[in-house]
Coordinates of all heavy atoms in Angstrom, one line a residue:
M1 N 16.8 2.7 13.7 CA 17.0 2.6 12.3 C 17.3 4.0 11.6 O 16.5 4.9 11.7 CB 15.8 1.9 11.7 CG 16.1 1.3 10.3 SD 14.8 0.5 9.4 CE 13.2 1.0 10.4
P2 N 18.5 4.1 11.1 CA 18.8 5.4 10.5 C 18.1 5.8 9.3 O 17.7 7.0 9.1 CB 20.4 5.3 10.1 CG 20.6 3.8 10.1 CD 19.6 3.1 10.9
V3 N 17.8 4.8 8.3 CA 17.0 5.2 7.1 C 15.8 4.2 7.1 O 15.9 3.0 7.5 CB 17.9 5.2 5.8 CG1 18.9 6.2 5.8 CG2 18.5 3.8 5.7
F4 N 14.8 4.7 6.4 CA 13.6 3.8 6.2 C 13.0 4.2 4.9 O 13.1 5.3 4.3 CB 12.7 3.7 7.3 CG 11.9 5.1 7.5 CD1 10.7 5.2 7.0 CD2 12.5 6.0 8.3 CE1 10.0 6.5 7.2 CE2 11.9 7.3 8.5 CZ 10.6 7.4 8.0
N5 N 12.1 3.3 4.3 CA 11.4 3.6 3.1 C 10.1 4.4 3.4 O 9.2 3.8 3.9 CB 11.2 2.3 2.4 CG 10.4 2.4 1.1 OD1 10.2 3.6 0.6 ND2 10.1 1.3 0.5
A6 N 10.1 5.6 3.0 CA 8.9 6.4 3.3 C 7.6 5.9 2.6 O 6.5 6.1 3.1 CB 9.2 7.9 2.9
M7 N 7.8 5.2 1.5 CA 6.7 4.6 0.8 C 6.0 3.6 1.6 O 4.7 3.4 1.5 CB 7.2 3.9 -0.5 CG 7.7 4.9 -1.6 SD 6.6 6.2 -1.9 CE 5.1 5.4 -2.4
E8 N 6.6 2.9 2.6 CA 5.9 2.0 3.5 C 4.7 2.7 4.2 O 3.6 2.2 4.2 CB 6.8 1.3 4.5 CG 7.7 0.3 3.8 CD 8.6 -0.4 4.8 OE1 8.3 -0.4 6.0 OE2 9.6 -0.9 4.4
T9 N 5.1 3.9 4.8 CA 4.1 4.6 5.6 C 3.0 5.1 4.7 O 1.8 5.0 5.0 CB 4.8 5.8 6.2 OG1 6.0 5.3 7.0 CG2 3.8 6.5 7.2
I10 N 3.3 5.6 3.5 CA 2.4 6.1 2.6 C 1.4 5.1 2.0 O 0.2 5.2 2.1 CB 3.1 6.9 1.5 CG1 3.7 8.1 2.0 CG2 2.1 7.3 0.3 CD1 4.7 8.8 1.1
V11 N 2.0 4.0 1.7 CA 1.1 2.9 1.1 C 0.2 2.3 2.2 O -1.0 2.1 1.9 CB 2.0 1.7 0.5 CG1 1.2 0.5 0.3 CG2 2.7 2.2 -0.7
I12 N 0.7 2.3 3.5 CA -0.2 1.7 4.5 C -1.3 2.8 4.8 O -2.5 2.3 4.9 CB 0.6 1.4 5.9 CG1 1.4 0.2 5.6 CG2 -0.3 1.3 7.0 CD1 2.6 0.0 6.6
N13 N -1.0 4.0 4.8 CA -2.1 5.1 4.9 C -3.0 5.1 3.8 O -4.2 5.2 4.0 CB -1.4 6.5 5.0 CG -0.9 6.7 6.4 OD1 -1.5 6.3 7.4 ND2 0.2 7.4 6.5
L14 N -2.6 5.0 2.5 CA -3.5 5.0 1.4 C -4.3 3.7 1.3 O -5.3 3.7 0.8 CB -2.7 5.2 0.1 CG -2.2 6.7 0.0 CD1 -1.3 6.9 -1.3 CD2 -3.4 7.7 0.0
F15 N -3.8 2.6 1.9 CA -4.5 1.3 2.0 C -5.8 1.5 2.7 O -6.9 1.0 2.3 CB -3.6 0.3 2.5 CG -4.4 -1.1 2.6 CD1 -4.3 -2.0 1.5 CD2 -5.0 -1.5 3.7 CE1 -4.9 -3.1 1.5 CE2 -5.7 -2.7 3.7 CZ -5.7 -3.5 2.6
D16 N -5.8 2.3 3.8 CA -6.9 2.5 4.6 C -7.9 3.3 3.7 O -9.2 3.0 3.8 CB -6.6 3.3 5.8 CG -5.9 2.5 6.9 OD1 -5.9 1.2 6.7 OD2 -5.2 3.0 7.7
E17 N -7.5 4.3 3.0 CA -8.3 5.1 2.1 C -9.0 4.2 1.0 O -10.2 4.2 0.8 CB -7.6 6.2 1.4 CG -7.3 7.3 2.2 CD -8.6 8.0 2.8 OE1 -9.4 8.3 2.0 OE2 -8.7 8.1 4.0
F18 N -8.1 3.3 0.4 CA -8.5 2.4 -0.6 C -9.6 1.5 -0.1 O -10.6 1.2 -0.8 CB -7.3 1.6 -1.1 CG -7.6 0.5 -2.1 CD1 -7.7 0.9 -3.4 CD2 -7.7 -0.8 -1.7 CE1 -8.0 -0.1 -4.4 CE2 -7.9 -1.7 -2.7 CZ -8.1 -1.3 -4.1
Q19 N -9.5 0.9 1.1 CA -10.5 0.0 1.6 C -11.8 0.6 1.7 O -12.9 -0.1 1.7 CB -10.0 -0.4 3.0 CG -9.5 -1.8 3.1 CD -9.2 -2.2 4.5 OE1 -8.7 -1.4 5.4 NE2 -9.4 -3.5 4.8
K20 N -11.9 2.0 2.0 CA -13.2 2.7 2.1 C -13.9 2.7 0.8 O -15.2 2.8 0.7 CB -13.0 4.1 2.7 CG -12.5 4.1 4.1 CD -12.3 5.6 4.5 CE -11.4 5.6 5.7 NZ -10.8 7.0 5.9
N21 N -13.2 2.7 -0.3 CA -13.8 2.9 -1.6 C -13.9 1.6 -2.5 O -14.5 1.6 -3.5 CB -12.9 4.0 -2.4 CG -12.9 5.2 -1.7 OD1 -13.9 5.8 -1.3 ND2 -11.7 5.8 -1.5
Y22 N -13.2 0.6 -2.0 CA -13.2 -0.6 -2.7 C -13.6 -1.8 -1.9 O -13.1 -2.0 -0.8 CB -11.8 -0.8 -3.3 CG -11.6 -2.0 -4.2 CD1 -11.8 -1.9 -5.6 CD2 -11.2 -3.2 -3.7 CE1 -11.7 -3.0 -6.4 CE2 -11.1 -4.3 -4.4 CZ -11.3 -4.2 -5.9 OH -11.1 -5.3 -6.7
E23 N -14.6 -2.6 -2.4 CA -15.1 -3.7 -1.5 C -14.2 -4.9 -1.8 O -14.3 -5.5 -2.9 CB -16.5 -3.9 -1.9 CG -17.2 -4.7 -0.7 CD -18.7 -4.9 -1.0 OE1 -19.3 -4.0 -1.5 OE2 -19.2 -6.0 -0.7
M24 N -13.3 -5.2 -0.9 CA -12.4 -6.3 -1.1 C -13.1 -7.6 -0.7 O -13.9 -7.6 0.3 CB -11.1 -6.1 -0.3 CG -10.4 -4.9 -0.8 SD -8.6 -5.0 -0.3 CE -8.6 -5.3 1.4
K25 N -12.7 -8.7 -1.4 CA -13.4 -9.9 -1.2 C -13.0 -10.5 0.2 O -13.7 -11.2 0.9 CB -13.1 -10.9 -2.2 CG -13.8 -10.5 -3.6 CD -13.9 -11.9 -4.5 CE -14.5 -11.4 -5.8 NZ -13.5 -11.4 -6.9
C26 N -11.8 -10.3 0.5 CA -11.2 -10.8 1.8 C -10.3 -9.7 2.4 O -9.5 -9.1 1.7 CB -10.4 -12.0 1.6 SG -9.7 -12.7 3.1
I27 N -10.5 -9.4 3.7 CA -9.7 -8.4 4.3 C -8.9 -9.0 5.5 O -8.6 -8.2 6.5 CB -10.5 -7.2 4.8 CG1 -11.8 -7.6 5.7 CG2 -11.1 -6.4 3.6 CD1 -12.3 -6.6 6.5
C28 N -8.6 -10.2 5.4 CA -7.7 -10.8 6.5 C -6.3 -10.2 6.4 O -6.0 -9.6 5.4 CB -7.7 -12.3 6.4 SG -6.7 -13.0 5.1
N29 N -5.6 -10.4 7.4 CA -4.2 -9.9 7.4 C -3.3 -10.4 6.3 O -2.5 -9.7 5.8 CB -3.6 -10.2 8.8 CG -3.6 -8.9 9.7 OD1 -3.7 -7.8 9.2 ND2 -3.5 -9.1 11.0
K30 N -3.5 -11.6 6.0 CA -2.6 -12.2 5.0 C -2.9 -11.5 3.6 O -1.9 -11.2 2.9 CB -2.9 -13.7 4.8 CG -2.0 -14.4 3.9 CD -2.3 -15.8 3.6 CE -1.3 -16.4 2.7 NZ -1.0 -15.7 1.5
C31 N -4.1 -11.4 3.3 CA -4.4 -10.7 2.0 C -3.9 -9.3 2.0 O -3.4 -8.7 1.1 CB -5.9 -10.7 1.7 SG -6.5 -12.4 1.3
K32 N -4.2 -8.6 3.2 CA -3.6 -7.2 3.3 C -2.1 -7.1 3.1 O -1.6 -6.3 2.4 CB -4.0 -6.7 4.7 CG -3.6 -5.2 4.9 CD -4.0 -4.7 6.2 CE -3.3 -3.3 6.5 NZ -3.8 -2.7 7.8
E33 N -1.4 -8.0 3.8 CA 0.0 -8.0 3.7 C 0.5 -8.4 2.3 O 1.5 -7.8 1.8 CB 0.6 -9.0 4.8 CG 0.7 -8.4 6.2 CD 0.9 -9.4 7.2 OE1 1.3 -10.5 6.9 OE2 0.8 -9.0 8.4
D34 N -0.2 -9.3 1.6 CA 0.2 -9.6 0.3 C 0.0 -8.5 -0.6 O 0.9 -8.2 -1.5 CB -0.8 -10.8 -0.3 CG -0.3 -12.1 0.3 OD1 0.8 -12.2 1.0 OD2 -1.1 -13.1 0.1
M35 N -1.1 -7.7 -0.5 CA -1.3 -6.6 -1.2 C -0.2 -5.5 -1.1 O 0.3 -4.9 -2.0 CB -2.6 -5.9 -0.9 CG -3.8 -6.5 -1.6 SD -5.4 -5.7 -1.2 CE -5.1 -4.1 -1.9
L36 N 0.0 -5.2 0.2 CA 1.1 -4.2 0.6 C 2.4 -4.6 -0.1 O 3.1 -3.7 -0.5 CB 1.2 -4.0 2.1 CG 0.0 -3.4 2.8 CD1 0.3 -3.4 4.3 CD2 -0.3 -2.0 2.3
A37 N 2.8 -5.9 0.0 CA 4.0 -6.4 -0.5 C 4.1 -6.1 -2.0 O 5.1 -5.7 -2.6 CB 4.3 -7.7 -0.2
L38 N 2.9 -6.4 -2.7 CA 2.9 -6.2 -4.2 C 3.1 -4.9 -4.5 O 3.8 -4.5 -5.4 CB 1.5 -6.8 -4.7 CG 1.4 -8.3 -4.8 CD1 -0.1 -8.6 -5.0 CD2 2.2 -8.8 -6.0
V39 N 2.4 -3.9 -3.9 CA 2.5 -2.6 -4.2 C 3.9 -2.0 -3.9 O 4.5 -1.3 -4.7 CB 1.4 -1.7 -3.3 CG1 1.6 -0.2 -3.5 CG2 0.0 -2.1 -3.7
L40 N 4.5 -2.4 -2.8 CA 5.8 -1.8 -2.4 C 6.8 -2.4 -3.4 O 7.9 -1.8 -3.6 CB 6.2 -2.2 -1.0 CG 5.4 -1.4 0.1 CD1 5.5 -1.9 1.4 CD2 6.0 0.1 0.0
N41 N 6.6 -3.6 -4.0 CA 7.6 -4.1 -5.0 C 7.5 -3.3 -6.3 O 8.4 -3.3 -7.1 CB 7.3 -5.5 -5.2 CG 8.0 -6.4 -4.2 OD1 8.9 -6.1 -3.6 ND2 7.4 -7.6 -4.1
N42 N 6.3 -2.7 -6.5 CA 6.1 -2.1 -7.8 C 6.3 -0.6 -7.8 O 6.5 0.0 -8.8 CB 4.6 -2.3 -8.4 CG 4.5 -3.7 -8.9 OD1 5.4 -4.3 -9.4 ND2 3.2 -4.2 -8.8
I43 N 6.3 0.0 -6.6 CA 6.6 1.5 -6.5 C 8.0 1.7 -6.1 O 8.5 1.0 -5.2 CB 5.7 2.0 -5.4 CG1 4.2 1.9 -5.8 CG2 5.9 3.5 -5.1 CD1 3.5 3.0 -6.5
P44 N 8.7 2.6 -6.7 CA 10.1 2.8 -6.3 C 10.2 3.2 -4.9 O 9.4 4.1 -4.5 CB 10.6 3.9 -7.3 CG 9.6 4.0 -8.4 CD 8.3 3.4 -7.8
P45 N 11.1 2.7 -4.1 CA 11.2 3.1 -2.7 C 11.7 4.5 -2.6 O 12.4 5.0 -3.5 CB 12.2 2.2 -2.1 CG 13.0 1.6 -3.3 CD 12.1 1.7 -4.5
R46 N 11.3 5.3 -1.5 CA 11.9 6.7 -1.3 C 12.4 6.6 0.1 O 11.8 6.7 1.1 CB 10.7 7.7 -1.3 CG 9.9 7.6 -2.5 CD 10.6 8.2 -3.8 NE 9.8 7.9 -4.9 CZ 8.9 8.8 -5.5 NH1 8.7 10.0 -4.9 NH2 8.2 8.5 -6.5
Y47 N 13.8 6.4 0.2 CA 14.4 6.4 1.5 C 14.6 7.7 2.0 O 14.9 8.7 1.4 CB 15.7 5.6 1.3 CG 15.5 4.1 1.1 CD1 15.7 3.6 -0.1 CD2 15.1 3.3 2.1 CE1 15.5 2.2 -0.3 CE2 14.9 1.9 2.0 CZ 15.0 1.4 0.6 OH 14.8 0.1 0.5
T48 N 14.5 7.7 3.4 CA 14.8 9.0 4.1 C 15.4 8.7 5.4 O 15.2 7.5 5.9 CB 13.4 9.8 4.3 OG1 13.8 11.0 4.9 CG2 12.5 9.1 5.1
S49 N 16.1 9.7 6.0 CA 16.5 9.4 7.4 C 15.4 9.6 8.3 O 14.4 10.3 8.1 CB 17.6 10.4 7.7 OG 17.2 11.7 7.8
S50 N 15.5 8.9 9.5 CA 14.4 9.1 10.5 C 14.3 10.5 11.0 O 13.2 10.9 11.4 CB 14.6 8.1 11.6 OG 15.9 8.1 12.0
E51 N 15.3 11.2 10.9 CA 15.2 12.7 11.3 C 14.3 13.5 10.5 O 13.5 14.3 10.9 CB 16.7 13.2 11.3 CG 17.0 14.0 12.7 CD 18.5 14.3 12.7 OE1 19.3 13.4 13.0 OE2 18.8 15.5 12.4
K52 N 14.6 13.3 9.2 CA 13.7 14.1 8.2 C 12.5 13.4 7.9 O 11.6 13.9 7.2 CB 14.6 14.4 7.0 CG 15.8 15.2 7.1 CD 16.5 15.3 5.8 CE 17.9 16.0 5.8 NZ 18.8 15.7 4.8
G53 N 12.3 12.3 8.4 CA 11.1 11.4 7.9 C 9.8 12.0 7.9 O 9.2 12.0 6.8
Q54 N 9.3 12.6 9.0 CA 8.0 13.0 9.0 C 7.7 14.1 7.9 O 6.6 14.0 7.3 CB 7.7 13.6 10.4 CG 7.5 12.6 11.5 CD 6.5 11.5 11.2 OE1 5.5 11.8 10.6 NE2 6.9 10.3 11.5
L55 N 8.5 15.1 7.8 CA 8.3 16.1 6.8 C 8.4 15.6 5.3 O 7.6 15.9 4.5 CB 9.4 17.2 6.9 CG 9.0 18.3 8.0 CD1 10.2 19.3 8.0 CD2 7.8 19.1 7.5
F56 N 9.4 14.7 5.2 CA 9.5 14.0 3.9 C 8.3 13.3 3.4 O 7.8 13.4 2.3 CB 10.7 13.1 3.9 CG 11.1 12.5 2.6 CD1 11.7 13.2 1.6 CD2 10.9 11.2 2.3 CE1 12.1 12.7 0.5 CE2 11.3 10.6 1.1 CZ 11.9 11.4 0.2
I57 N 7.7 12.5 4.4 CA 6.5 11.7 4.1 C 5.3 12.6 3.8 O 4.6 12.4 2.9 CB 6.1 10.8 5.3 CG1 7.2 9.7 5.4 CG2 4.8 10.3 5.2 CD1 7.2 8.9 6.7
K58 N 5.2 13.7 4.6 CA 4.1 14.7 4.4 C 4.2 15.2 3.0 O 3.2 15.4 2.3 CB 4.3 15.9 5.4 CG 3.1 16.0 6.2 CD 3.2 17.2 7.2 CE 2.0 17.3 8.2 NZ 2.3 18.3 9.2
G59 N 5.4 15.6 2.5 CA 5.6 16.2 1.2 C 5.2 15.2 0.1 O 4.6 15.6 -0.9
L60 N 5.6 13.9 0.3 CA 5.2 12.9 -0.7 C 3.7 12.7 -0.7 O 3.0 12.5 -1.7 CB 5.9 11.6 -0.4 CG 7.4 11.5 -0.7 CD1 7.9 10.2 -0.3 CD2 7.7 11.7 -2.3
Y61 N 3.2 12.6 0.5 CA 1.8 12.3 0.7 C 0.8 13.2 0.0 O -0.2 12.8 -0.5 CB 1.5 12.2 2.2 CG 0.2 11.5 2.5 CD1 0.2 10.0 2.4 CD2 -0.9 12.1 3.0 CE1 -0.9 9.4 2.7 CE2 -2.0 11.4 3.3 CZ -2.1 10.0 3.1 OH -3.2 9.3 3.5
I62 N 1.1 14.5 0.0 CA 0.2 15.4 -0.6 C 0.4 15.6 -2.2 O -0.2 16.3 -2.8 CB 0.3 16.8 -0.1 CG1 1.7 17.4 -0.1 CG2 -0.2 16.8 1.4 CD1 1.8 18.8 0.3
N63 N 1.4 14.7 -2.7 CA 1.6 14.8 -4.2 C 0.5 13.9 -4.8 O 0.5 12.7 -4.7 CB 3.0 14.2 -4.4 CG 3.4 14.1 -5.9 OD1 2.6 14.0 -6.7 ND2 4.7 14.1 -6.1
P64 N -0.3 14.6 -5.7 CA -1.4 14.0 -6.3 C -1.0 12.9 -7.3 O -1.7 11.8 -7.4 CB -2.2 15.0 -7.0 CG -1.5 16.3 -6.7 CD -0.2 16.0 -6.1
Q65 N 0.1 13.1 -8.0 CA 0.6 12.1 -8.9 C 1.0 10.8 -8.1 O 0.6 9.6 -8.5 CB 1.8 12.6 -9.7 CG 2.4 11.6 -10.6 CD 1.4 11.3 -11.7 OE1 0.8 12.1 -12.4 NE2 1.2 10.0 -11.9
L66 N 1.7 11.0 -7.1 CA 2.1 9.8 -6.3 C 0.9 9.0 -5.7 O 0.8 7.8 -5.7 CB 3.0 10.3 -5.2 CG 3.7 9.1 -4.4 CD1 5.1 9.1 -4.7 CD2 3.4 9.2 -2.9
Q67 N -0.1 9.8 -5.2 CA -1.3 9.2 -4.7 C -2.0 8.3 -5.7 O -2.5 7.3 -5.4 CB -2.2 10.3 -4.2 CG -1.9 10.8 -2.8 CD -3.1 11.7 -2.2 OE1 -4.2 11.5 -2.7 NE2 -2.8 12.5 -1.3
S68 N -2.2 8.9 -6.9 CA -2.9 8.1 -7.9 C -2.1 6.9 -8.3 O -2.6 5.9 -8.7 CB -3.3 9.0 -9.1 OG -2.2 9.4 -9.9
D69 N -0.7 7.1 -8.3 CA 0.1 5.8 -8.7 C -0.1 4.8 -7.6 O -0.3 3.6 -8.0 CB 1.6 6.3 -8.7 CG 2.0 7.0 -9.9 OD1 1.2 7.1 -10.9 OD2 3.1 7.5 -9.9
V70 N -0.1 5.1 -6.4 CA -0.2 4.1 -5.3 C -1.7 3.5 -5.4 O -1.8 2.3 -5.3 CB 0.0 4.8 -3.9 CG1 -0.3 3.8 -2.8 CG2 1.5 5.2 -3.8
M71 N -2.7 4.4 -5.6 CA -4.0 3.8 -5.7 C -4.2 2.9 -6.8 O -4.9 1.9 -6.7 CB -5.0 5.1 -5.8 CG -5.3 5.7 -4.6 SD -6.1 4.7 -3.4 CE -6.4 5.9 -2.0
R72 N -3.6 3.2 -7.9 CA -3.6 2.3 -9.2 C -3.0 0.9 -8.8 O -3.5 -0.1 -9.1 CB -3.0 3.0 -10.3 CG -3.3 2.3 -11.6 CD -2.5 2.8 -12.8 NE -1.0 2.6 -12.5 CZ -0.1 3.6 -12.6 NH1 -0.4 4.7 -12.9 NH2 1.1 3.3 -12.3
E73 N -1.8 1.1 -8.2 CA -1.1 -0.2 -7.8 C -1.9 -1.0 -6.7 O -2.0 -2.2 -6.9 CB 0.2 0.1 -7.2 CG 1.2 0.7 -8.2 CD 1.6 -0.3 -9.3 OE1 1.5 -1.5 -9.1 OE2 2.1 0.2 -10.3
L74 N -2.6 -0.3 -5.9 CA -3.5 -1.0 -4.9 C -4.6 -1.8 -5.6 O -4.9 -2.9 -5.2 CB -4.0 -0.1 -3.9 CG -3.1 0.4 -2.7 CD1 -3.7 1.6 -1.9 CD2 -2.9 -0.8 -1.7
M75 N -5.2 -1.2 -6.6 CA -6.2 -1.7 -7.3 C -5.8 -3.0 -8.0 O -6.5 -4.0 -8.0 CB -6.7 -0.7 -8.5 CG -7.9 -1.1 -9.2 SD -9.5 -1.1 -8.1 CE -9.9 0.5 -8.1
E76 N -4.6 -2.9 -8.7 CA -4.0 -4.1 -9.3 C -3.7 -5.2 -8.3 O -4.0 -6.3 -8.6 CB -2.8 -3.7 -10.1 CG -3.1 -3.2 -11.5 CD -1.9 -2.6 -12.2 OE1 -0.8 -3.1 -11.9 OE2 -2.1 -1.7 -13.1
A77 N -3.1 -4.8 -7.2 CA -2.8 -5.8 -6.2 C -4.0 -6.4 -5.6 O -4.0 -7.7 -5.3 CB -2.0 -5.1 -5.0
A78 N -5.1 -5.7 -5.5 CA -6.4 -6.3 -4.9 C -6.9 -7.4 -5.9 O -7.3 -8.4 -5.5 CB -7.4 -5.2 -4.8
N79 N -6.8 -7.0 -7.3 CA -7.2 -8.0 -8.2 C -6.3 -9.3 -8.2 O -6.8 -10.4 -8.3 CB -7.0 -7.5 -9.6 CG -8.3 -6.7 -10.1 OD1 -9.4 -7.2 -9.8 ND2 -8.1 -5.5 -10.7
I80 N -5.1 -9.1 -8.0 CA -4.2 -10.3 -8.0 C -4.5 -11.2 -6.8 O -4.5 -12.3 -6.9 CB -2.6 -9.8 -8.0 CG1 -2.3 -9.2 -9.4 CG2 -1.7 -11.0 -7.7 CD1 -1.0 -8.4 -9.4
V81 N -4.5 -10.5 -5.6 CA -4.7 -11.2 -4.4 C -6.0 -12.0 -4.4 O -6.1 -13.1 -4.0 CB -4.6 -10.3 -3.2 CG1 -5.0 -10.9 -1.9 CG2 -3.1 -9.8 -3.0
E82 N -7.1 -11.3 -4.9 CA -8.3 -11.9 -5.0 C -8.4 -13.2 -5.8 O -9.1 -14.1 -5.5 CB -9.4 -11.0 -5.5 CG -9.9 -10.0 -4.4 CD -10.7 -8.8 -5.1 OE1 -11.1 -8.9 -6.2 OE2 -11.1 -8.0 -4.3
H83 N -7.5 -13.2 -6.8 CA -7.6 -14.4 -7.7 C -6.5 -15.4 -7.4 O -6.5 -16.5 -8.0 CB -7.4 -13.9 -9.2 CG -8.6 -13.2 -9.7 ND1 -8.6 -11.8 -9.7 CD2 -9.8 -13.6 -10.1 CE1 -9.8 -11.4 -10.2 NE2 -10.6 -12.5 -10.4
H84 N -5.6 -15.1 -6.5 CA -4.6 -16.0 -6.1 C -4.6 -16.3 -4.6 O -3.5 -16.3 -4.0 CB -3.2 -15.6 -6.6 CG -3.1 -15.4 -8.1 ND1 -3.5 -14.3 -8.8 CD2 -2.7 -16.4 -9.0 CE1 -3.3 -14.5 -10.1 NE2 -2.8 -15.8 -10.2
Q85 N -5.7 -16.4 -4.0 CA -5.7 -16.6 -2.6 C -5.2 -18.0 -2.2 O -5.6 -19.0 -2.7 CB -7.0 -16.4 -2.0 CG -7.3 -14.9 -1.8 CD -8.7 -14.7 -1.2 OE1 -9.3 -15.6 -0.7 NE2 -9.2 -13.4 -1.3
Q86 N -4.1 -18.0 -1.4 CA -3.4 -19.3 -1.0 C -4.1 -20.0 0.2 O -3.7 -21.1 0.5 CB -2.0 -18.9 -0.6 CG -1.2 -18.2 -1.6 CD -0.8 -19.2 -2.8 OE1 -0.5 -20.3 -2.5 NE2 -1.0 -18.7 -4.0
H87 N -5.1 -19.3 0.7 CA -5.7 -19.9 1.9 C -7.2 -20.0 1.7 O -7.9 -19.4 0.9 CB -5.4 -19.1 3.1 CG -6.0 -17.7 3.0 ND1 -5.5 -16.8 2.2 CD2 -7.0 -17.1 3.6 CE1 -6.2 -15.7 2.3 NE2 -7.2 -15.9 3.1
Q88 N -7.9 -20.9 2.6 CA -9.2 -21.1 2.5 C -9.9 -20.1 3.6 O -9.4 -20.0 4.7 CB -9.7 -22.4 3.0 CG -9.3 -23.6 2.1 CD -10.1 -23.5 0.7 OE1 -11.3 -23.1 0.8 NE2 -9.5 -23.8 -0.4
V89 N -10.8 -19.3 3.1 CA -11.6 -18.4 4.0 C -12.7 -19.0 4.6 O -13.5 -19.6 4.0 CB -11.9 -17.1 3.2 CG1 -12.7 -16.1 4.1 CG2 -10.8 -16.5 2.5
E90 N -12.8 -19.0 5.9 CA -13.9 -19.7 6.6 C -15.0 -18.7 6.6 O -14.9 -17.5 6.9 CB -13.5 -19.9 8.1 CG -12.5 -21.1 8.2 CD -12.0 -21.2 9.6 OE1 -12.8 -21.0 10.5 OE2 -10.8 -21.6 9.8
S91 N -16.3 -19.2 6.2 CA -17.4 -18.3 6.3 C -18.6 -19.1 6.7 O -18.6 -20.3 6.6 CB -17.6 -17.7 4.9 OG -17.7 -18.7 3.9
Ligands
ZN101 ZN1 -7.6 -13.4 3.0

């Protein structure tokens, strides 16, 4: 793939951080994917070539403004997913 959206990598990485600080009601794959999709729809994509990718991602990743934007979106996505779960959770 010649170009990809660097935000995907960043959102997935920050999701792991988010999970450590926020107790989600459900952490199944469906809820996780729903959250990632919501966040990626709300955050402008940052396309990069696969050649420059790693450095580009690193540069974005250490940007505190971007980090707090993604964290805020994750928080909102968690709220939405928790209140609109399409599936029954077995417990
Ligand atoms: Zn779930």
Side-chain angles (χ1 to χ4, degrees):
M1 198 177 13
V3 294
F4 67 96
N5 180 6
M7 290 311 298
E8 284 181 24
T9 308
I10 290 167
V11 168
I12 288 164
N13 279 325
L14 287 175
F15 181 86
D16 289 338
E17 285 300 308
F18 177 78
Q19 252 186 325
K20 289 177 200 160
N21 302 308
Y22 182 89
E23 202 174 323
M24 299 203 309
K25 289 198 183 114
C26 179
I27 51 162
C28 74
N29 258 339
K30 186 185 183 307
C31 289
K32 181 181 169 177
E33 282 166 10
D34 283 352
M35 277 182 63
L36 294 177
L38 282 167
V39 174
L40 286 166
N41 278 335
N42 285 334
I43 298 264
R46 311 284 174 95
Y47 288 102
T48 184
S49 68
S50 42
E51 227 170 281
K52 293 180 188 158
Q54 289 306 320
L55 275 176
F56 187 73
I57 290 167
K58 240 182 184 173
L60 288 176
Y61 195 72
I62 58 172
N63 180 332
Q65 180 61 52
L66 187 112
Q67 276 193 25
S68 70
D69 284 353
V70 173
M71 282 298 181
R72 196 191 57 232
E73 293 295 339
L74 279 167
M75 186 69 79
E76 275 173 29
N79 271 320
I80 292 167
V81 169
E82 279 172 5
H83 291 101
H84 296 88
Q85 277 179 20
Q86 301 289 315
H87 62 290
Q88 291 291 327
V89 181
E90 288 172 37
S91 57

